[in-house]
Amino acid sequence: MAFLNDERISFNGTVLELLKREGYDEKKVVVLLNGEILKRDLWDEVFLKEEDYLEVVSFVGGG
C-alpha cells in the first residue's frame, strides 16, 4: 500500500497512470514523492512502491 495525499491506496503502476486514474490534469499539478519534487519527465517511468508517499499539489487560478 502507498499513500496519496494522506490516503492509503492500493495501486500497482506508474505515477502518471495513477494521476490519470484519479482524474488529475497533468499540466496543472506538481508531484512530490516521499517529500521530493518528482520531475514531470519521470512520471511515466517511476513505479510506486510499498509505503511510498505521493502528494499531488494542484495549481488554482483566481484573483
Side-chain angles (χ1 to χ4, degrees):
M1 296 275 191
F3 293 88
L4 173 61
N5 295 338
D6 293 325
E7 184 176 316
R8 187 174 283 277
I9 59 167
S10 179
F11 182 76
N12 185 19
T14 66
V15 170
L16 183 58
E17 291 169 339
L18 179 61
L19 292 174
K20 288 181 179 182
R21 182 187 90 168
E22 296 295 317
Y24 287 103
D25 182 344
E26 307 111 54
K27 296 178 181 112
K28 296 181 181 179
V29 298
V30 172
V31 173
L32 290 90
L33 179 61
N34 300 321
E36 300 287 331
I37 293 175
L38 184 63
K39 292 184 180 182
R40 191 175 303 272
D41 59 346
L42 297 177
W43 290 1
D44 63 345
E45 298 174 16
V46 174
F47 283 81
L48 290 178
K49 299 183 295 274
E50 188 77 19
E51 298 302 316
D52 272 347
Y53 182 82
L54 195 71
E55 186 173 354
V56 180
V57 180
S58 298
F59 294 106
V60 179

